[in-house]
Amino acid sequence: MKIRTLFLSFFLVYSCLPLNAQRAEIYTTSEQLPWQKTRIKVQKYAESNADIIVSEFQEQVIDGFGGCFNELGWDALTLLSEKQRKTILEELFGPDGVRYTFCRLPIGANDYARDWYSFNECPDDFEMKNFSIERDKTGLIPYIKAALAIQPDLKLWASPWSPPVWMKTTRHYATAPGDHNDFTKENEVAGDHFIQKPEYLKAYTLYLSKFINAYKENGIDISLLQFQNEPYTKHQWPNCSWTPQAMANFIGKYLGPVFSEKHPDVDLWFGTFNCNKMEDLKCVMENADASEYIRGIGLQWEGKDVVADIHREYPTMKLMQTENECGSGTFDWAAAEHTFDLLKIYLNGGVNSYMYWNMVLADDGASSWGWKQNTMIRIDSQTKEVIYTPEFYLMKHLSHFVRRGACKLKVLNGDDVLAFKNLDNQIVILCANKDKKEREVRIACKGYVINIKLAPKTFNTITL
């Protein structure tokens, strides 16, 4: 009799699941208790009302999630034993971890390099005879190869923060003075910081082309290039300002034609665009020469203000959130909730991919130019303790489940929720409870309903 009762109970629970579903589960992370898995009950949808309604309307295709490979991240990892290092990389790229599949790397120095460098600091070397990526063999290349050993299908894209200083009107890697550089007010110029002369534009195209080839020779394929990080930013770390007209000219008359011929397998994107002026974006996107070569748009920071407008204006254009807002080294739950809000803005705005910034850092997360920033995994350089921050778990709640090729599903009702459908028809629902008290939530999806209680201050992933 007991066996019959158990069988009937099992049948009643699982007969309520969609025919193509194997199970319904919820994964929950709170500040005190990360990554708890519970089986949940699914019932036939009997009423029209629900707190969250996930429709079957498919929106954009998801190309992947990832972070950025930076020198200081590798330096943090090398503080640990080989076994500890491999464990962290498995957590980021392995099948039981975050499962990142689409990551970024800098071309030359960025603010999380050890210090300023480029691949050619020999003035007036327009033929790039002195081009070399030897510096990257000490940090970025082993970091990337360690990730590829775990996730060989990892897709990579790249962007420079600054060209070699001899190519700039300022003759300096930075765009503003600060307490961590020797840039002065006398160096400041308005408009383009890159010298807009044909011989310099040709040389920079060659520089970027040689970067693609050099990495390929080292066993690393770059599939996508965005030629300038944050052209609207002026800071004391490596950067370079470009006007929209100059960017359109460079893509349309120099970079595009050369890459089309020599690197047809490398997509050129306009980015990373850190501006909320649609007229500036249109100046590039609707330039007759540049538009022929642009395959996508990368957005960060102020780009969040216009991502939905851009998606409406260019509905067939691929979009990417290129750099998660980095915070101030708090490593706390509030930072994770802010990142969740950014995920909602960008994914509801139409992006196909989303990039976290630093995946691993040591101690207080300070850059070489003094800005303390957040990270997914923090390493104490003294004790060698490894700390997985709330943002690590938030990104795992999304990237572990939502596979490349999934479609975002439109949510008809409910706040603080995102939903996706994988290629195997699995439904993934990510929802947060930002309240300090428990919330009872009724979720409706595909003719079925789930009644659950969301614990206070939690991220929750439901798989159907």
Side-chain angles (χ1 to χ4, degrees):
M1 185 64 181
K2 286 184 179 179
I3 293 174
R4 182 181 178 186
T5 302
L6 286 171
F7 175 79
L8 286 173
S9 299
F10 179 90
F11 177 79
L12 286 171
V13 170
Y14 282 87
S15 65
C16 294
L17 290 172
L19 292 176
N20 59 359
Q22 297 298 317
R23 56 188 177 179
E25 296 168 338
I26 182 168
Y27 298 76
T28 299
T29 290
S30 67
E31 196 166 10
Q32 292 76 30
L33 202 60
W35 208 252
Q36 301 299 302
K37 174 182 169 182
T38 309
R39 194 172 299 279
I40 54 176
K41 187 176 181 181
V42 180
Q43 298 174 319
K44 284 285 188 182
Y45 188 82
E47 303 171 18
S48 59
N49 67 311
D51 303 294
I52 295 171
I53 301 175
V54 178
S55 78
E56 295 187 57
F57 182 80
Q58 296 184 4
E59 298 181 310
Q60 73 268 26
V61 173
I62 301 301
D63 293 332
F65 302 96
C68 188
F69 294 100
N70 289 323
E71 279 190 334
L72 294 191
W74 180 247
D75 289 350
L77 284 167
T78 57
L79 294 170
L80 304 175
S81 67
E82 185 176 347
K83 182 178 179 181
Q84 287 175 300
R85 187 161 59 245
K86 190 174 187 301
T87 296
I88 289 176
L89 291 166
E90 286 282 357
E91 287 288 356
L92 289 168
F93 300 100
D96 297 324
V98 180
R99 287 180 176 168
Y100 274 163
T101 58
F102 196 2
C103 283
R104 180 185 191 181
L105 66 146
I107 300 175
N110 63 8
D111 46 324
Y112 274 83
R114 298 167 190 137
D115 50 31
W116 161 251
Y117 76 100
S118 80
F119 301 135
N120 188 356
E121 284 300 312
C122 295
D124 301 329
D125 183 9
F126 295 104
E127 295 180 1
M128 291 294 143
K129 292 179 180 179
N130 296 286
F131 180 93
S132 172
I133 64 164
E134 284 303 305
R135 164 73 173 257
D136 283 9
K137 293 178 182 179
T138 70
L140 287 178
I141 287 175
Y143 193 0
I144 294 165
K145 284 190 171 182
L148 286 168
I150 296 167
Q151 175 50 277
D153 293 329
L154 183 66
K155 186 176 178 180
L156 296 165
W157 69 277
S159 65
W161 269 243
S162 174
V165 298
W166 58 271
M167 294 183 172
K168 300 175 72 175
T169 58
T170 58
R171 295 298 195 272
H172 201 287
Y173 64 78
T175 51
D179 57 0
H180 282 68
N181 70 18
D182 58 357
F183 192 98
T184 65
K185 285 286 184 181
E186 289 71 29
N187 292 119
E188 290 184 324
V189 297
D192 291 300
H193 285 192
F194 191 94
I195 298 171
Q196 297 297 311
K197 292 181 180 179
E199 61 267 33
Y200 287 88
L201 295 165
K202 288 178 183 177
Y204 196 34
T205 299
L206 179 58
Y207 177 91
L208 295 171
S209 176
K210 288 178 79 70
F211 163 78
I212 299 294
N213 288 335
Y215 261 69
K216 195 175 193 69
E217 289 167 4
N218 280 271
I220 297 171
D221 291 325
I222 308 298
S223 62
L224 190 158
L225 175 72
Q226 301 186 38
F227 85 87
Q228 179 58 56
N229 177 75
E230 296 186 352
Y232 289 81
T233 293
K234 291 188 177 181
H235 278 303
Q236 64 169 321
W237 48 82
N239 223 310
C240 186
S241 298
W242 293 69
T243 62
Q245 295 79 10
M247 289 189 280
N249 179 62
F250 181 55
I251 294 171
K253 295 183 178 178
Y254 297 91
L255 195 63
V258 168
F259 268 64
S260 179
E261 177 187 351
K262 295 189 175 182
H263 307 289
D265 55 342
V266 178
D267 288 339
L268 293 181
W269 284 39
F270 173 44
T272 66
F273 188 67
N274 63 318
C275 178
N276 56 15
K277 298 177 181 177
M278 283 294 291
E279 61 271 23
D280 282 20
L281 183 130
K282 288 183 178 183
C283 179
V284 177
M285 295 302 298
E286 297 177 12
N287 176 279
D289 294 323
S291 62
E292 178 182 347
Y293 302 106
I294 295 172
R295 299 292 176 263
I297 303 170
L299 302 165
Q300 60 191 54
W301 292 89
E302 291 83 353
K304 67 178 178 288
D305 301 333
V306 290
V307 58
D309 296 332
I310 293 169
H311 186 50
R312 282 190 291 269
E313 189 77 23
Y314 307 101
T316 62
M317 187 66 62
K318 290 278 190 179
L319 302 179
M320 177 193 293
Q321 189 287 132
T322 48
E323 182 183 310
N324 188 77
E325 293 181 14
C326 51
S328 56
T330 57
F331 313 111
D332 59 5
W333 192 261
E337 287 189 344
H338 178 65
T339 294
F340 179 76
D341 289 340
L342 292 172
L343 285 164
K344 285 193 304 173
I345 290 170
Y346 280 105
L347 286 162
N348 287 332
V351 300
N352 306 92
S353 50
Y354 189 101
M355 304 291 135
Y356 194 81
W357 179 220
N358 277 296
M359 297 178 283
V360 185
L361 288 175
D363 300 326
D364 61 5
S367 78
S368 299
W369 281 265
W371 185 358
K372 296 177 183 178
Q373 298 181 15
N374 293 330
T375 184
M376 297 172 65
I377 301 170
R378 187 159 64 98
I379 297 168
D380 187 307
S381 62
Q382 298 301 314
T383 67
K384 308 301 186 287
E385 180 187 7
V386 177
I387 302 149
Y388 293 85
T389 72
E391 286 181 273
F392 167 85
Y393 289 103
L394 170 60
M395 295 308 297
K396 185 174 180 179
H397 270 280
L398 184 67
S399 187
H400 178 83
F401 299 101
V402 181
R403 310 296 176 83
R404 184 184 292 164
C407 282
K408 183 177 175 295
L409 296 177
K410 188 175 183 62
V411 176
L412 299 178
N413 191 40
D415 298 323
D416 293 331
V417 59
L418 293 164
F420 307 86
K421 181 180 180 181
N422 283 319
L423 291 174
D424 62 0
N425 292 320
Q426 182 192 49
I427 304 296
V428 178
I429 302 169
L430 169 61
C431 54
N433 179 11
K434 296 180 185 177
D435 295 343
K436 294 181 179 180
K437 59 182 180 180
E438 185 180 77
R439 283 177 55 201
E440 292 190 11
V441 177
R442 184 175 176 84
I443 302 174
C445 179
K446 292 191 70 174
Y448 295 84
V449 70
I450 305 164
N451 292 292
I452 56 174
K453 293 180 179 180
L454 300 181
K457 291 291 181 181
T458 52
F459 300 116
N460 307 270
T461 299
I462 300 158
T463 60
L464 299 173

